[in-house]
């Protein structure tokens, strides 16, 4: 078996021996299917994926309930630097805004299957922290601008 990970198979292998690959996915929970000319994908047992969705929904609802009972999101705000060390460059208001926006994005991922929003929220706030971490860039970013500067480069 030519794979780069213990839990990966090639697309050709899936095509040649689908039963073996499906049994492997059932045994392992999921198998990454690599493809030379296309993005990789996972072959996952439906019950495992449903459990994963339930886990995300439960976590999301827990975070929303915490915020409902504490609008300042104090417990979550305190935990954020452990998850995202770069938040030390954000002001306390920015950190709170990031926390609330992230919880809302996680809720959208869990309840609406909108996964990209979470990555966008993290990437946006990380870019803000990156600029604020460098005093020269931060000073430059705060200067008034005019005109069109072209496409925006997004870092993740």
């Amino acid at each position: 078996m030519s794979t780069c990970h213990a839990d990966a198979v090639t697309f050709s292998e899936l095509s040649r021996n689908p039963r073996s690959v499906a049994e492997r996915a059932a045994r392992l929970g999921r198998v990454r299917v690599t493809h030379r000319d296309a993005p990789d994908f996972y072959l996952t047992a439906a019950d495992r994926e449903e459990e994963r969705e339930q886990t995300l929904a439960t976590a999301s609802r827990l975070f929303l309930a915490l915020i409902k009972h504490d609008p300042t999101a104090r417990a979550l705000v305190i935990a954020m630097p452990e998850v995202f060390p770069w938040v030390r460059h954000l002001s306390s208001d920015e950190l709170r805004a990031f926390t609330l926006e992230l919880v809302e994005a996680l809720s959208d991922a869990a309840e609406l299957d909108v996964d990209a929003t979470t990555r966008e929220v993290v990437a946006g706030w990380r870019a803000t922290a990156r600029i604020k971490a460098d005093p020269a860039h931060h000073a430059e970013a705060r200067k008034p601008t005019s005109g069109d500067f072209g496409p925006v480069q997004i870092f993740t």
Side-chain angles (χ1 to χ4, degrees), residues 89-141:
H89 299 290
L90 301 177
S91 70
S92 57
D93 286 343
E94 290 168 330
L95 177 55
R96 195 173 297 93
F98 171 42
T99 303
L100 296 174
E101 197 173 337
L102 180 60
V103 169
E104 289 170 349
L106 289 170
S107 175
D108 288 347
E111 306 296 337
L112 303 173
D113 280 338
V114 180
D115 295 319
T117 307
T118 302
R119 286 190 309 275
E120 291 169 4
V121 167
V122 173
W125 282 104
R126 185 175 180 170
T128 299
R130 181 180 288 121
I131 289 171
K132 292 184 83 174
D134 182 330
H137 280 108
H138 189 231
E140 185 67 27

Side-chain angles (χ1 to χ4, degrees), residues 1-51:
M1 202 184 291
S2 58
T3 62
C4 58
H5 302 229
D7 62 345
V9 297
T10 64
F11 186 79
S12 299
E13 188 173 354
L14 174 61
S15 298
R16 283 192 311 269
N17 199 349
R19 174 173 281 173
S20 172
V21 173
E23 288 171 354
R24 185 174 180 185
R27 187 176 69 253
L28 296 174
R30 70 179 187 175
V31 172
R32 184 180 192 130
V33 180
T34 61
H35 196 289
R36 248 189 328 222
D37 302 324
D40 294 354
F41 63 91
Y42 284 100
L43 181 61
T44 306
D47 60 344
R48 177 164 177 161
E49 185 60 24
E50 289 164 1
E51 287 175 11

